[in-house]
Amino acid sequence: MRVYFATGNEGKFREAEEVLSRYGIEVEMVDLDYPEIQSDSLEEIAVWGVRWCVERLMEPVFVEDSGLFVDALNGFPGPYSAYVFDTIGNEGILKLMEGVEDRSARFLSVVAFCEPGGKPVTFTGEVRGRIAEEERGEEGFGFDPIFVPEGDRRTFAEMGVQEKCKISHRTRALERFAEWLVARRGR
Ligand code: ITT
């Protein structure tokens, strides 16, 4: 079974390959540079994006939209994570968190899949954790150097992709997606 993953982020793609290969699903990266609407809902952004992609590609395709939600910042940057990362980056988030005691945060991931002529279906995943006091680690991408998942002391960037993929928000969403695909194939 083969599906396309529309993304411009190679880090995301590596993680998707890692998870989906366990289910015998082959994934191909396609960088369609699809437009991302502004919305408070990751799900709405992903559904809109996958509709745009499937119309152009005419193949089964999924997109994944994710965000970092910091409790003390009332969920910021959330759906605006990509923009915030590109503008103020990890340093900017650490600055906003200076002197803040409650460092709890979570990553959310929404996978939206669609086939030509079909309706989009979505799958979500979450991982809770905290914002580190400083950037640590070289692996991964994005906010990985400042995010410490629950039950660990290391940031995601201090783990390899395989270890991150045991617990990440993206893995959880992708596993639900893969289980759905596999069950459907069996019917
Ligand atoms: P797409 O082409 O797939 O849209 P993107 O990097 O723009 O790739 P998003 O729109 O989903 O991804 O933006 C999410 C932002 O949050 C982006 O800056 C990512 O670097 C960051 N992010 C998402 N998942 C992450 C993870 O697992 N670890 C660290 N940062 C993450």
Side-chain angles (χ1 to χ4, degrees):
M1 192 180 341
R2 194 168 72 163
V3 290
Y4 285 88
F5 181 11
T7 179
N9 183 325
E10 283 186 21
K12 279 188 181 182
F13 176 70
R14 266 194 298 277
E15 294 180 11
E17 245 186 337
E18 168 75 30
V19 176
L20 296 181
S21 66
R22 296 181 206 150
Y23 295 82
I25 300 164
E26 223 181 285
V27 51
E28 194 148 323
M29 178 169 169
V30 51
D31 187 2
L32 297 176
D33 199 18
Y34 64 91
E36 284 188 18
I37 57 161
Q38 273 203 7
S39 162
D40 289 344
S41 150
L42 290 182
E43 197 150 355
E44 220 172 83
I45 300 170
V47 163
W48 200 93
V50 82
R51 280 209 177 101
W52 191 95
C53 290
V54 78
E55 270 176 27
R56 274 140 194 99
L57 197 62
M58 294 310 283
E59 294 279 355
V61 59
F62 70 95
V63 303
E64 190 263 358
D65 204 58
S66 36
L68 175 69
F69 296 70
V70 181
D71 291 353
L73 304 177
N74 295 325
F76 180 85
Y80 308 102
S81 290
Y83 179 68
V84 170
F85 183 76
D86 291 343
T87 49
I88 63 171
N90 286 326
E91 233 172 87
I93 298 286
L94 289 177
K95 209 165 240 166
L96 290 172
M97 294 298 284
E98 259 170 28
V100 178
E101 214 162 284
D102 174 13
R103 306 190 73 85
S104 53
R106 66 206 165 106
F107 265 123
L108 277 180
S109 161
V110 177
V111 167
F113 171 74
C114 195
E115 289 171 304
K119 265 192 177 168
V121 275
T122 59
F123 307 88
T124 59
E126 178 184 302
V127 61
R128 294 205 59 87
R130 51 187 300 279
I131 302 298
E133 270 75 22
E134 71 286 304
E135 293 186 52
R136 294 199 311 261
E138 307 293 331
E139 306 280 339
F141 63 93
F143 299 110
D144 282 343
I146 61 165
F147 186 82
V148 179
E150 223 167 45
D152 215 297
R153 299 165 75 98
R154 294 165 304 165
T155 66
F156 267 160
E158 292 178 296
M159 303 175 175
V161 66
Q162 284 185 346
E163 225 179 325
K164 177 182 172 188
C165 280
K166 282 188 192 144
I167 49 173
S168 88
H169 51 309
R170 184 164 302 104
T171 296
R172 288 176 180 157
L174 286 165
E175 281 174 351
R176 288 178 179 143
F177 169 43
E179 278 158 19
W180 178 85
L181 270 182
V182 169
R184 205 183 55 152
R185 184 175 47 180
R187 253 183 253 141

mmCIF file of all heavy atoms in Angstrom, residues 4 17 71 108 125 138:
data_model
loop_
_atom_site.group_PDB
_atom_site.id
_atom_site.type_symbol
_atom_site.label_atom_id
_atom_site.label_comp_id
_atom_site.label_asym_id
_atom_site.label_seq_id
_atom_site.Cartn_x
_atom_site.Cartn_y
_atom_site.Cartn_z
ATOM 1 N N TYR A 4 0.732 9.167 -0.426
ATOM 2 C CA TYR A 4 1.580 10.349 -0.545
ATOM 3 C C TYR A 4 1.435 11.204 0.717
ATOM 4 O O TYR A 4 0.340 11.298 1.276
ATOM 5 C CB TYR A 4 1.178 11.178 -1.765
ATOM 6 C CG TYR A 4 1.626 10.557 -3.061
ATOM 7 C CD1 TYR A 4 0.827 9.632 -3.718
ATOM 8 C CD2 TYR A 4 2.852 10.900 -3.623
ATOM 9 C CE1 TYR A 4 1.239 9.039 -4.901
ATOM 10 C CE2 TYR A 4 3.267 10.324 -4.809
ATOM 11 C CZ TYR A 4 2.469 9.403 -5.443
ATOM 12 O OH TYR A 4 2.883 8.825 -6.614
ATOM 13 N N GLU A 17 7.735 8.027 7.801
ATOM 14 C CA GLU A 17 8.291 6.794 7.217
ATOM 15 C C GLU A 17 8.545 5.769 8.309
ATOM 16 O O GLU A 17 8.214 4.588 8.174
ATOM 17 C CB GLU A 17 9.632 7.134 6.565
ATOM 18 C CG GLU A 17 9.662 6.976 5.085
ATOM 19 C CD GLU A 17 11.061 7.182 4.540
ATOM 20 O OE1 GLU A 17 11.908 7.845 5.182
ATOM 21 O OE2 GLU A 17 11.292 6.675 3.435
ATOM 22 N N ASP A 71 0.834 26.130 28.006
ATOM 23 C CA ASP A 71 -0.255 26.439 28.949
ATOM 24 C C ASP A 71 -0.161 27.873 29.493
ATOM 25 O O ASP A 71 -1.155 28.602 29.479
ATOM 26 C CB ASP A 71 -0.245 25.450 30.124
ATOM 27 C CG ASP A 71 -0.652 24.044 29.676
ATOM 28 O OD1 ASP A 71 -1.055 23.894 28.498
ATOM 29 O OD2 ASP A 71 -0.559 23.108 30.489
ATOM 30 N N LEU A 108 0.379 19.010 19.571
ATOM 31 C CA LEU A 108 -0.786 18.358 18.957
ATOM 32 C C LEU A 108 -0.499 18.119 17.488
ATOM 33 O O LEU A 108 0.151 18.936 16.832
ATOM 34 C CB LEU A 108 -2.011 19.269 19.036
ATOM 35 C CG LEU A 108 -2.826 19.278 20.306
ATOM 36 C CD1 LEU A 108 -3.986 20.247 20.152
ATOM 37 C CD2 LEU A 108 -3.370 17.880 20.586
ATOM 38 N N GLY A 125 -3.252 13.270 17.536
ATOM 39 C CA GLY A 125 -2.337 12.738 18.541
ATOM 40 C C GLY A 125 -1.808 13.867 19.395
ATOM 41 O O GLY A 125 -1.744 15.015 18.952
ATOM 42 N N GLU A 138 20.691 18.215 19.270
ATOM 43 C CA GLU A 138 20.946 18.524 17.853
ATOM 44 C C GLU A 138 19.996 17.796 16.915
ATOM 45 O O GLU A 138 19.976 18.057 15.722
ATOM 46 C CB GLU A 138 22.383 18.096 17.473
ATOM 47 C CG GLU A 138 23.487 18.649 18.371
ATOM 48 C CD GLU A 138 23.623 20.153 18.240
ATOM 49 O OE1 GLU A 138 23.319 20.677 17.147
ATOM 50 O OE2 GLU A 138 23.998 20.806 19.233
#
